[in-house]
Amino acid sequence: MNRKDNILKIHNLEIGYEVKRNKNNVLFTDINLTGNSGELIALVGKNGIGKSTLLRNIAGLQRAFQGEILYFDKPKDIYSRGEFARLISFVSTEILNVSNLRVFDLVSLGRFPHTNWLGKLKEKDISRSLQALDMVGMQDFKNKNVNEISDGERQRVMIARTLAQNTKMIVLDEPTAFLDLPNKYEIVHLLNSLSKNEHKTIIFSTHDLNIAIQEADKIWLMLDDKIVEGAPEDLILNDTFNHIFENSSLNFDKIKGDFRMKRKHTEKIGLIGEGSYYTWTKKALERLNFSVEKGNESIRHIKVYTEQEQVVWELIPKEHQHLFNNIYDLSLYLKS
Amino acid sequence: MLNRRHLILIWIILSLLLTALFVLDIILGSVQISVKEVFNVLFTNNTDHPEYSTILYRFRLPKALTALFAGFALSVSGLQMQTVFRNPLAGPFVLGISAGASLGVALLVMGLSAFTVVSEIGVLGNWSVVTAAWLGSGLILFLILAVSARLKDIMTILILGIMFGSATSALVNILQYFSNESMLKAFIVWTMGSLGGVSLSQLNVLIPSVIIGLIISFLLIKVLNAMLVGENYARSMGLNIRLSRIFIFFSTSLLAGTVTAFCGPIGFIGIAVPHIARIVFKTANHKILLPGTMLIGGIVLLLSDIISQLPGYEKTLPINSITALVGIPIVIWIIIRNQKMSTIS
């Protein structure tokens, strides 16, 4: 797709919320971003920086103070309510808990902008809703009540509702917030495949950076003073990620693609060993604020080796206890 | 969710029940009139008891019709409020409609008596009372609409409705404090509610008003369904929230305001009946829930009316006490049942 064919263009946007009449609390200024067809975009930034506000602006639920958002090169006002609702759909952070609401009824609500004023579901609306449930793998749940299913299942149903709405763009505010780890990965992966197979532009905010790095085509990174966009790999390679939590105790590990606590190392220790035993022993030692030096035998050091099919951690030079059968015992001794 | 055959069966049962209770409400009373006599009076005009004609046309039939339409109106407006506010304990009067109506009536009954000597306390079923109550609830509706156009958060409107209601109640209390005994009693009797005070000519106003309110409500089925998931989602699906609120509030005021004007503030029906309908139909879809709530509303109020006139006795009990005694156990049951769930609508 050509760069000129941006489905979404955000130009010099200033966002925030109205505190009182004529008094605005500006959260972020000078936002310039783009979104293309078939693209999964992850919006990343720390709490309170304005991610939700930006998403609500894009979804047309809130007005910006300045600047403009162009959808297919036209501002929102050009579109009627119905047209706009057929262009972009939204999933909020709110956990929906309506009793007696069937999964199918919830998903078919997505047909709202496509049905007549009585809301009558035609053949096409029903098949489109069922197809949407199929796409998120929830076809067997259509007759269940929405408050009887798990959080991960409910999130899938909410995504199915946007698919029934059949929009070119989908905006989701922290879709992975309440989910366990496998569900987090599955939901973002689902969004990725929807963006590719259905050629949709999907924008979601998240705090799960490593998942975003793996699945998103583009990251919108909200830093304290500016917002940067780019492929996750580009942002890693040019050190941009390190600026997210600039004043915190986190460091971005370029090789692992994840954040680590910055540690103040107090004491040096040598470590000799191989493979995963070396790696995890090193992690444990770092947690105890040791600065680990690989293979250094000239200072106090630890040797990990296997003896008679039993792994042994040996502390050298000998102290009153120097052989350990697991890392926990070793760390207990080192702490005492 | 029920399958189609179940659903049809429930519709048939409810319709039969409604018809049976309507007939029963006409037959039962301090004077027992047999079904045959009722039929004779109403359809052949050939009866041995000419006084039955008076009883049926002047009292029984208007009362049964009032119970039927008041039941429809109160329960449907209650359902609308529960959906819009996404609150299981909302009812037709959360907007302060009944408080507004009672302020109107209180001003008329007690305010007027402070200046003029009112000899007859023909309070119930009096056109001036109806007009005063209507004006009072209309004023509250106007305030709510003016405020709701400015407010984004629907919960603020709920709180404001309750505040308006409390403020008007306070004004009513002041009026009560300064009014004389007979006026006070007249007002208290009005607040107890009555289905029996509506004349045939007043039914010509009550029934069309309720029908208009119900028609608006049925046209809002799609809107109400969208509101189930909250205003944010509704807006993201292309709903004009402000306009929808205006229509819903207007229809609620028309339904609840009219009934309150003619019958006094009848409580609990509006809160309890939508929940009974949810239990019976096991759905949140207003396409089924709205007509279902309407039918059950008619059934419950007709039943309450039959109980209140204590068949076989001379006396009748105030309808408000009966609806409360029927409604309170349901409301308590809802609270206990929903402790696990945060929001229900």
Side-chain angles (χ1 to χ4, degrees):
Chain A
M1 179 137 311
N2 198 306
R3 268 228 168 251
K4 283 176 201 149
D5 299 333
N6 292 145
I7 282 176
L8 182 71
K9 254 186 262 178
I10 300 175
H11 190 61
N12 288 336
L13 205 68
E14 180 177 302
I15 57 168
Y17 49 90
E18 202 176 321
V19 189
K20 277 184 221 159
R21 199 167 289 231
N22 301 323
K23 190 175 180 297
N24 296 331
N25 190 349
V26 176
L27 282 172
F28 221 94
T29 57
D30 221 11
I31 302 172
N32 290 286
L33 297 165
T34 56
N36 293 313
S37 177
E39 209 167 53
L40 179 65
I41 302 170
L43 176 60
V44 178
K46 62 186 178 188
N47 277 334
I49 202 163
K51 293 192 296 293
S52 290
T53 310
L54 177 57
L55 292 181
R56 289 175 57 84
N57 271 276
I58 295 170
L61 296 171
Q62 203 173 325
R63 272 188 177 279
F65 301 138
Q66 267 174 43
E68 59 179 359
I69 306 176
L70 298 176
Y71 311 85
F72 289 98
D73 291 319
K74 280 175 275 185
K76 178 180 181 261
D77 298 341
I78 299 288
Y79 299 97
S80 72
R81 274 175 216 280
E83 282 169 344
F84 193 73
R86 290 190 288 270
L87 195 70
I88 190 160
S89 51
F90 180 64
V91 176
S92 77
T93 46
E94 183 186 3
I95 293 181
L96 206 63
N97 201 351
V98 185
S99 65
N100 290 329
L101 183 62
R102 265 201 321 161
V103 165
F104 178 81
D105 285 340
L106 176 60
V107 171
S108 64
L109 267 183
R111 298 306 293 166
F112 189 96
H114 301 274
T115 54
N116 66 6
W117 56 278
L118 275 173
K120 176 150 180 57
L121 292 177
K122 297 203 179 103
E123 197 93 354
K124 188 180 137 213
D125 300 306
I126 293 169
S127 67
R128 182 73 216 183
S129 305
L130 290 173
Q131 199 190 333
L133 274 169
D134 207 35
M135 282 190 242
V136 299
M138 292 291 290
Q139 58 276 41
D140 297 338
F141 287 71
K142 64 175 183 187
N143 285 325
K144 289 220 172 190
N145 281 343
V146 285
N147 56 2
E148 289 170 357
I149 59 180
S150 75
D151 288 340
E153 287 160 354
R154 193 178 303 118
Q155 204 57 267
R156 280 167 192 276
V157 171
M158 292 314 284
I159 292 169
R161 191 191 54 85
T162 68
L163 295 173
Q165 202 169 331
N166 199 14
T167 56
K168 202 81 186 89
M169 278 174 263
I170 304 174
V171 174
L172 307 98
D173 196 354
E174 294 199 27
T176 55
F178 304 104
L179 307 181
D180 60 12
L181 206 58
N183 268 307
K184 278 180 201 272
Y185 275 92
E186 282 168 18
I187 289 289
V188 180
H189 186 72
L190 172 70
L191 294 177
N192 184 331
S193 48
L194 288 173
S195 69
K196 303 297 167 294
N197 301 338
E198 310 292 317
H199 308 289
K200 291 179 188 295
T201 308
I202 302 179
I203 304 161
F204 73 106
S205 62
T206 185
H207 288 288
D208 299 299
L209 197 64
N210 35 12
I211 303 179
I213 288 170
Q214 283 179 41
E215 297 283 346
D217 299 296
K218 190 193 267 179
I219 288 191
W220 290 352
L221 187 60
M222 280 179 119
L223 302 171
D224 285 333
D225 51 347
K226 61 179 175 179
I227 185 160
V228 186
E229 65 175 339
E233 295 77 13
D234 287 334
L235 298 182
I236 292 172
L237 291 173
N238 62 26
D239 283 329
T240 315
F241 275 127
N242 253 334
H243 298 299
I244 310 180
F245 306 112
E246 215 155 32
N247 300 317
S248 74
S249 47
L250 288 178
N251 249 340
F252 191 76
D253 186 326
K254 233 185 199 179
I255 310 295
K256 302 227 168 61
D258 204 354
F259 283 92
R260 297 261 170 273
M261 288 296 289
K262 287 179 198 160
R263 302 208 177 267
K264 291 196 185 83
H265 300 298
T266 48
E267 201 184 327
K268 284 183 182 174
I269 197 160
L271 180 60
I272 300 153
E274 275 170 4
S276 53
Y277 286 108
Y278 174 82
T279 314
W280 291 103
T281 310
K282 180 173 183 248
K283 272 189 198 277
L285 291 171
E286 282 174 344
R287 189 168 62 234
L288 296 169
N289 289 337
F290 285 103
S291 165
V292 178
E293 302 202 343
K294 188 174 183 175
N296 190 344
E297 296 187 39
S298 59
I299 52 172
R300 187 189 189 200
H301 65 276
I302 291 158
K303 208 171 170 179
V304 195
Y305 56 89
T306 314
E307 196 176 79
Q308 292 160 4
E309 293 178 17
Q310 176 87 37
V311 186
V312 178
W313 283 261
E314 187 179 358
L315 191 57
I316 305 166
K318 276 186 190 171
E319 294 173 25
H320 78 269
Q321 192 185 351
H322 61 100
L323 288 173
F324 304 91
N325 292 325
N326 55 49
I327 295 178
Y328 185 70
D329 290 341
L330 171 70
S331 61
L332 275 186
Y333 177 76
L334 289 173
K335 269 193 280 187
S336 63
Chain B
M1 185 63 189
L2 303 156
N3 63 36
R4 214 180 182 80
R5 194 181 296 169
H6 262 123
L7 209 57
I8 292 169
L9 193 67
I10 291 177
W11 287 125
I12 292 171
I13 292 171
L14 288 180
S15 308
L16 289 177
L17 200 58
L18 187 75
T19 318
L21 286 170
F22 186 78
V23 173
L24 212 58
D25 197 30
I26 293 175
I27 294 170
L28 296 176
S30 49
V31 179
Q32 296 278 36
I33 305 175
S34 70
V35 182
K36 195 173 150 235
E37 288 293 340
V38 170
F39 187 83
N40 281 345
V41 171
L42 294 183
F43 298 106
T44 65
N45 224 356
N46 174 22
T47 173
D48 307 333
H49 305 274
E51 75 276 14
Y52 284 0
S53 171
T54 316
I55 292 175
L56 286 176
Y57 277 112
R58 294 268 318 266
F59 302 106
R60 297 272 176 92
L61 195 60
K63 191 157 73 94
L65 282 170
T66 306
L68 184 71
F69 279 91
F72 288 171
L74 292 173
S75 51
V76 166
S77 54
L79 173 67
Q80 290 187 144
M81 290 298 98
Q82 288 177 3
T83 299
V84 168
F85 291 114
R86 304 176 78 200
N87 191 319
L89 291 175
F93 303 135
V94 285
L95 296 176
I97 289 162
S98 74
S102 49
L103 179 64
V105 174
L107 276 173
L108 180 82
V109 175
M110 295 176 288
L112 224 62
S113 70
F115 303 105
T116 56
V117 185
V118 185
S119 53
E120 186 61 40
I121 324 161
V123 171
L124 293 162
N126 187 321
W127 273 114
S128 55
V129 172
V130 169
T131 314
W134 233 345
L135 285 176
S137 54
L139 174 76
I140 294 291
L141 169 69
F142 179 77
L143 282 175
I144 291 283
L145 288 183
V147 169
S148 74
R150 287 154 196 263
L151 292 175
K152 285 192 186 114
D153 189 3
I154 191 83
M155 280 309 142
T156 324
I157 299 174
L158 181 61
I159 295 164
L160 278 178
I162 292 166
M163 291 299 123
F164 282 156
S166 303
T168 31
S169 301
L171 288 175
V172 170
N173 278 343
I174 294 173
L175 284 170
Q176 282 179 313
Y177 186 76
F178 287 109
S179 65
N180 66 42
E181 253 174 61
S182 60
M183 291 300 142
L184 193 60
K185 179 162 188 206
F187 179 75
I188 299 284
V189 169
W190 179 81
T191 62
M192 288 176 178
S194 166
L195 299 168
V198 185
S199 67
L200 265 180
S201 66
Q202 287 177 333
L203 277 180
N204 287 334
V205 177
L206 186 140
I207 292 176
S209 305
V210 170
I211 287 176
I212 292 170
L214 290 175
I215 288 174
I216 298 174
S217 191
F218 273 84
L219 296 180
L220 290 170
I221 283 176
K222 183 183 180 184
V223 171
L224 289 168
N225 276 340
M227 288 215 169
L228 275 179
V229 288
E231 293 199 341
N232 263 333
Y233 279 125
R235 200 178 306 145
S236 83
M237 293 188 289
L239 183 73
N240 186 337
I241 294 288
R242 268 179 201 176
L243 201 61
S244 306
R245 273 188 198 165
I246 288 175
F247 276 116
I248 291 171
F249 290 162
F250 177 74
S251 122
T252 301
S253 303
L254 190 60
L255 291 169
T258 304
V259 172
T260 309
F262 285 101
C263 313
I266 299 176
F268 288 104
I269 294 276
I271 299 174
V273 169
H275 291 289
I276 304 176
R278 285 190 194 93
I279 294 160
V280 171
F281 290 99
K282 296 185 177 59
T283 180
N285 189 345
H286 289 81
K287 217 172 277 177
I288 294 167
L289 206 52
L290 194 73
T293 300
M294 192 180 101
L295 279 187
I296 295 173
I299 289 170
V300 172
L301 201 52
L302 280 169
L303 189 68
S304 303
D305 187 43
I306 292 170
I307 296 170
S308 80
Q309 60 202 357
L310 297 169
Y313 293 90
E314 289 286 306
K315 295 253 172 201
T316 60
L317 296 173
I319 188 74
N320 231 340
S321 313
I322 303 300
T323 56
L325 290 176
V326 174
I328 286 172
I330 297 172
V331 174
I332 291 173
W333 181 77
I334 294 158
I335 294 169
I336 293 169
R337 177 175 171 261
N338 290 335
Q339 259 188 344
K340 279 182 272 175
M341 305 171 210
S342 52
T343 54
I344 312 297
S345 44

